Amino acid sequence: MSGREVAVTGLGLVTPAGVGVPATWHGLLSGESPAARDPALDGLPVDFCCRVPGFDAAERLGRRLSWRLDRCAAMALVAAREAVADAGLGTDHWDPLRVGVVLGVGTASMERYEEEFAKLTCGRATEISPLAIPRSVPNMVAGEVGMDLRVRGPNLTVSTACASGATALGTARQLLLADACDVVVAGGSESLCSRIPAACFHQMGALSRRGDDPAGASRPFDADRDGFVLAEGAGMLVLERAEHARNRGARVRSYLAGYGASCDAYHFTAPHPEGRGAAEALSAALGDAGLAPEDIGHVNAHGTSTVLNDRAEALALRQVFRRPPPVTAVKGALGHAAGGAGAIEAACTVLTLQEQVVPPTANLRRLDPDIELDVVGKVPRPVRMAAAVSNAFGFGGQNAVLVFRAAP
């Protein structure tokens, strides 16, 4: 094992497939999407999304705590608690000064801002909540997780658009390798299921318009794809220095072996048409892990279901891999949770390595002939693999790639 690997000892997930790791994994293997019309989006050109079913923050966190939290932060706390419990950790098992929190967030609290701006535009400025800022500034998601877990190590939020969750995991890895922490709770959270994101992304032409078939709307790499589906969710991983995990006898789910990041420096929203920056980040991640392309047995693609992004990602994979390994794109089933997506998909990659099964790409009916990849569709595929890659890309040309290695 490389001295630059860190152990993944806990996972926590809150996704449109359900709350908890088992619910999400089961939903992915089903190959079905829960996307549906959302009353909160009534009257908009795109009125469907992927919400977390039955998520009641008050029920899960208590009325007093949930009252002050934005939905994005509430989902992060639930996922973080699951991840820490899964790792077998708690206040009796760690030095709080040596435990960090690094979270990725894209837009944070658009829903809360909508409510407060409405008061302002109606001349009701004195009714604006004093919690409006603490609820919605991006750093408070990490701050709330730190307070909830009572850990006092480095606590920060990173924002690289839809790559944020993956960037957070890479940043956490760097903290551990620098010996700044023994443990880092890292991941991402986001809720895009509100009116401003729905209206804005529609105006950009980024959303699928399949209102007659919401569950079939997100189609990564499909010839008939026409955009992504708004979603929400949180993904959390407990990362530890390998020695720390070994000394406490922790169960290791996998190892985060490498991280690579780059910027396209090309366009403010579109990816480089040849996937140049994505390929550079992937090559950097493999180099960081000390692995060759042929060592990778699976790619969890960013796979947004937009024409430009899927094509650019496919070209990037073809540049790095002589023969790309089996690919899946979980946004077909879970939609696009923006800042949370990279962490959710990283957790799914860990599960894929553990189970040695690649989930299908939901709604893949006819592979785009320009996508020269082995995209898994229809049913799960057993694959023997020792390492896997998770891609995440975002506006501004942000690219983040994670390499995971299976635990012995």
Side-chain angles (χ1 to χ4, degrees), residues 32-406:
E32 297 179 357
S33 168
R37 287 194 65 253
D38 188 335
L41 306 180
D42 279 352
L44 296 179
V46 175
D47 61 359
F48 60 92
C49 65
C50 287
R51 276 197 183 271
V52 177
F55 183 79
D56 186 329
E59 179 182 321
R60 295 183 178 277
L61 300 172
R63 190 172 300 276
R64 182 171 183 177
L65 175 57
S66 65
W67 171 74
R68 78 162 188 260
L69 296 178
D70 173 68
R71 188 173 176 88
C72 172
M75 291 188 296
L77 260 63
V78 171
R81 288 182 180 183
E82 181 187 21
V84 169
D86 183 51
L89 285 169
T91 54
D92 296 333
H93 304 97
W94 59 33
D95 175 356
L97 291 174
R98 296 280 298 173
V99 181
V101 175
V102 184
L103 298 189
V105 175
T107 61
S109 182
M110 297 293 264
E111 189 172 11
R112 291 288 189 180
Y113 275 129
E114 289 173 23
E115 296 173 6
E116 303 305 333
F117 285 155
K119 296 174 186 176
L120 189 64
T121 56
C122 292
R124 297 157 47 205
T126 57
E127 296 179 26
I128 291 176
S129 171
L131 293 177
I133 296 298
R135 277 175 175 158
S136 58
V137 290
N139 76 293
M140 286 303 297
V141 183
E144 291 286 1
V145 171
M147 285 186 283
D148 191 63
L149 299 178
R150 291 183 287 172
V151 296
R152 307 199 304 276
N155 186 293
L156 62 146
T157 297
V158 299
S159 187
T160 53
C162 300
S164 297
T167 302
L169 291 165
T171 302
R173 179 174 179 277
Q174 292 168 336
L175 286 173
L176 291 163
L177 293 179
D179 198 26
C181 299
D182 294 325
V183 178
V184 181
V185 180
S189 185
E190 193 90 87
S191 178
L192 290 181
C193 300
S194 58
R195 297 180 72 81
I196 287 180
C200 289
F201 282 117
H202 168 264
Q203 290 297 98
M204 293 175 64
L207 297 184
S208 171
R209 302 189 184 192
R210 285 193 171 87
D212 59 336
D213 181 23
S218 182
R219 304 182 180 191
F221 301 120
D222 191 87
D224 297 320
R225 67 191 182 280
D226 71 333
F228 64 81
V229 174
L230 296 169
E232 63 180 4
M236 295 291 172
L237 285 73
V238 173
L239 304 180
E240 298 185 49
R241 290 189 300 107
E243 182 182 10
H244 184 271
R246 185 168 56 249
N247 288 343
R248 72 178 186 87
R251 175 201 58 178
V252 176
R253 284 185 174 270
S254 72
Y255 292 94
L256 177 50
Y259 167 59
S262 71
C263 178
D264 286 353
Y266 169 74
H267 190 271
F268 63 101
T269 57
H272 189 279
E274 297 173 2
R276 182 180 62 194
E280 290 166 347
L282 176 53
S283 294
L286 291 172
D288 191 35
L291 296 176
E294 55 267 26
D295 296 323
I296 302 301
H298 164 59
V299 174
N300 191 308
H302 185 59
T304 59
S305 188
T306 61
V307 172
L308 294 180
N309 278 273
D310 287 5
R311 187 172 297 162
E313 183 170 14
L315 289 171
L317 293 175
R318 295 289 301 181
Q319 288 176 54
V320 175
F321 296 102
R322 182 178 304 172
R323 181 178 297 175
V327 172
T328 196
V330 304
K331 289 183 180 72
L334 303 181
H336 195 347
I344 292 169
E345 290 157 18
C348 294
T349 306
V350 171
L351 293 169
T352 297
L353 272 175
Q354 278 195 282
E355 301 298 326
Q356 297 285 286
V357 172
V358 177
T361 301
N363 299 317
L364 181 64
R365 300 168 187 177
R366 185 168 63 95
L367 185 67
D368 183 338
D370 291 333
I371 304 293
E372 299 181 63
L373 299 175
D374 177 13
V375 183
V376 177
K378 300 186 186 305
V379 296
R381 184 192 299 179
V383 176
R384 293 186 63 182
M385 55 193 131
V389 160
S390 184
N391 290 339
F393 313 127
F395 285 171
Q398 306 279 6
N399 305 297
V401 177
L402 304 166
V403 177
F404 292 95
R405 190 180 64 79

